[in-house]
């Protein structure tokens, strides 16, 4: 208990310092005692376990397949009829691989470790970043910079020391995927890009492993259990694979990442938790006793896609999926993708999915650097030669986080969604009116003005699209008016001009 | 335009619900749910199917000009699932499925984040 003596502020401080020293000494003593007590408890547990083991070997006593501590630890889930002792033992002997230790992988691994899955492998080549922490719940602030798999396993061990944890500090590659997957019974796809998703599904199918696949973006998530049951390619009773559902990858420029689109922590968390749940269901499912007569054995569950939408009601909807595709490139009777084509690289996943690297749409004369823009227009001025327009084409939400002084916000979605007749379709006298799109403030669109227009966005991609569009509309008055973008967007503004700029 | 004579045969326009999720709503004015009324019969006497609906949506409902974010080669672009009354359209005949009164059609763009 702290006592604050009356006296001068100096005396109060001195007294508090003295009390803190005493309290810290007491705390240190308690920590020592605890460490000793824990040591003693550990050796006692080990002795008990050894004794049990000996008894098991001697066969003298009834066998207890789990440790005393495990009965307590897993008791609440073991008394659920769908699990039971049998299910718990299946969990203990299960080997689960999670590809990705991020927003999906963290909660999924947490629940699987908690549930007592015997072997948990994690594969991820990334390191923890501050921007991960709001959703990747196994990582701690102190572990920023550390490999995600090491950070995750550190947390998992604190949660449950029993499972064997295996760290694969690498991004999944086609060369290694078959070798890594073969040691596991079940795969969880917790990744964030189409190329890896196809690789995971293909490898899982060809090695006969069921796959729990999830994804999330902004306020929505999706979940599927694929290749369940995991029958060989050509066996129609097996569950569909990722390629059965999506035979062709989406165009690369339609793929939005969490970094670009945003993601709510509990949304991706929900999907990760559901992956763990589906994994537990697959592992503890009663055997389908098909024996040799596999044609009569029906899939345990018809294939479903579960869609979660945080701002819709109902929150979840479940969609019946197709069964295996007869001409599937992987799981049909005539597969074109095999373990050999994966390993050798002749199945090129990056090429298959394409890449969204935007080609530069504008010439160098149409772009200026952030530094140059700042030099040309250093500050607000009434000098008309300095007058210019700076248009920020990020969405309203991002503009609301931070924006350049005097910039006006016209989200690119407004620009791309407005329909307007092109000048060619209109009679000459109407041409002028037709050329001014509704999204552009009239003073900016005025044909009297030749003040330059600059377009800026977060990274310098959308701004190019908008500049191109504005020129197509003739707003540059056949070259009399400069319209250009800021190369590298607001990120380069931070690098070159204003280091205090908040980068989100 | 619906042929008015069809009304005599008890053929009313077909009311359906169309929903967009997975980010597709951004192409449709950021509205997820739309009520759509289609004629019971088209000019050639056929009934409106999913193919017709796709054209209708692009011409009447889509706000974004990037049509290839929704349609490619006269079909939905890869990465979009079409659900007819909560089942994958591949279970229902895909684009040839003829729309029925009260149908719920959902377009889902796959997500890849994680």
């Amino acid at each position: 208990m702290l006592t604050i003596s009356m006296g001068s502020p100096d005396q109060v401080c001195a007294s508090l310092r003295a009390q803190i020293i005493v309290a810290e000494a007491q705390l240190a003593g308690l920590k020592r005692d605890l460490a000793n007590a824990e040591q003693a408890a550990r050796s006692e547990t080990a002795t008990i376990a050894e004794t049990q083991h000996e008894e098991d070997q001697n066969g003298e006593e009834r066998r207890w397949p789990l440790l005393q501590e495990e009965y307590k630890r897993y008791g609440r889930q073991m008394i659920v009829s769908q699990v039971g002792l049998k299910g718990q033992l299946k969990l203990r002997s299960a080997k689960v691989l999670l590809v990705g230790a991020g927003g999906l992988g963290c909660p999924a691994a947490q629940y699987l470790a908690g549930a007592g899955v015997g072997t948990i492998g994690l594969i991820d080549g990334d390191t923890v970043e501050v921007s991960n922490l709001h959703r990747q719940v196994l990582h701690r602030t102190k572990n920023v910079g550390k490999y995600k798999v090491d950070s995750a396993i550190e947390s998992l061990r604190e949660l449950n020391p029993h499972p064997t944890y295996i760290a694969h500090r690498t991004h999944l590659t086609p060369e290694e995927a078959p070798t890594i997957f073969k040691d596991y019974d079940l795969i969880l796809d917790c990744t964030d890009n189409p190329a890896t998703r196809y690789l995971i599904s293909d490898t899982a199918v060809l090695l006969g492993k069921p796959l729990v696949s999830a994804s999330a973006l902004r306020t929505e998530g999706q979940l599927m259990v694929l290749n369940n049951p995991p029958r060989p390619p050509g066996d129609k009773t097996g569950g569909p694979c990722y390629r059965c559902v999506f035979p062709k990858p989406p165009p690369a420029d339609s793929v939005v990442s969490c970094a670009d689109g945003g993601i709510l922590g509990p949304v991706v968390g929900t999907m990760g938790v559901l992956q763990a749940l589906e994994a537990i269901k697959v592992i503890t499912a009663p055997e389908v006793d098909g024996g040799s007569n596999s044609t009569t054995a029906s899939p345990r569950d018809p294939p479903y896609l579960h869609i979660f939408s945080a701002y819709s009601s109902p929150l979840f909807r479940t969609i019946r999926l197709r069964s295996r595709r007869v001409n599937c490139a992987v799981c049909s009777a005539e597969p074109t993708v095999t373990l050999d084509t994966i390993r050798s690289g002749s199945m090129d996943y990056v090429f298959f999915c394409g890449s969204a690297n935007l080609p530069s749409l504008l010439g160098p004369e149409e772009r200026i650097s952030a530094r140059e823009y700042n030099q040309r227009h250093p500050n607000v001025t009434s000098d008309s030669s300095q007058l210019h327009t700076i248009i920020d084409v990020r969405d309203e939400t991002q503009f609301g986080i931070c924006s350049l002084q005097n910039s006006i916000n016209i989200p690119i979605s407004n620009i791309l969604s407005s329909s307007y007749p092109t000048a060619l379709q209109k009679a000459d006298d109407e041409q002028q009116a037709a050329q001014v799109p509704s999204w552009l403030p009239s003073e900016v669109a005025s044909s009297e003005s030749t003040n330059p227009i600059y377009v800026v966005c977060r990274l310098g991609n959308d701004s190019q699209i908008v500049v191109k569009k504005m020129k197509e509309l003739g707003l540059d008055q056949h070259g009399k008016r400069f319209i250009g973008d800021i190369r590298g967007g607001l990120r380069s503004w931070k690098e070159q001009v204003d280091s205090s700029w908040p980068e989100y | 335009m619906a042929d008015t004579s069809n009304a005599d045969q008890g053929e009313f326009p077909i009311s359906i619900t169309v929903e967009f999720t997975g980010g597709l709503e951004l192409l449709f004015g950021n509205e997820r749910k739309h009520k759509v009324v289609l004629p019971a019969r088209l000019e050639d006497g056929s009934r409106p199917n999913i193919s017709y609906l796709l054209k209708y949506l692009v011409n009447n409902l889509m706000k974004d000009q990037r049509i290839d974010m929704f349609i490619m080669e006269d079909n939905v672009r890869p990465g979009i699932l079409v659900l007819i009354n909560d089942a994958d359209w591949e279970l229902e005949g895909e684009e040839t499925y003829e729309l029925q009164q009260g149908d719920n059609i959902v377009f889902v763009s796959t997500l890849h984040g994680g």
Side-chain angles (χ1 to χ4, degrees), chain A residues 216 220 246 322 416-418, chain B residues 22 32 63 65 90 110 112-113:
Chain A
E220 298 188 333
F246 302 111
R322 53 159 309 122
L416 293 177
S417 67
S418 68
Chain B
R32 286 174 189 275
K63 296 286 195 302
Q65 292 163 32
E90 298 189 24
T110 46
H112 299 94

Side-chain angles (χ1 to χ4, degrees), chain A residues 103-104 191-194 197 215-217 219-222 242 246 248-251 254 258 305 307 309 312 317 319-320 322 325 415-418 469, chain B residues 19 21-23 25-26 32 63-66 68-69 72-73 77-81 83 86-88 90-92 104 106 108-114:
Chain A
L104 294 166
T191 60
D192 60 1
N193 66 86
R197 290 184 182 279
S215 59
L217 184 70
T219 62
E220 298 188 333
Q222 296 168 356
Y242 196 75
F246 302 111
K248 283 190 207 161
S254 73
C258 291
L305 165 68
I307 301 177
S309 179
S312 300
R317 77 196 294 162
I319 278 97
R320 262 184 309 131
R322 53 159 309 122
R325 195 176 279 274
I415 296 169
L416 293 177
S417 67
S418 68
K469 179 119 256 163
Chain B
E19 289 180 66
T21 85
E25 67 278 7
L26 298 173
R32 286 174 189 275
K63 296 286 195 302
D64 202 287
Q65 292 163 32
R66 292 169 294 175
D68 58 358
M69 295 295 268
M72 283 173 103
E73 294 164 8
R77 72 153 166 81
I80 295 180
L81 284 183
L83 311 172
D86 283 345
D88 191 332
E90 298 189 24
L91 300 168
E92 307 284 349
N104 178 246
V106 185
V108 187
S109 176
T110 46
L111 308 173
H112 299 94

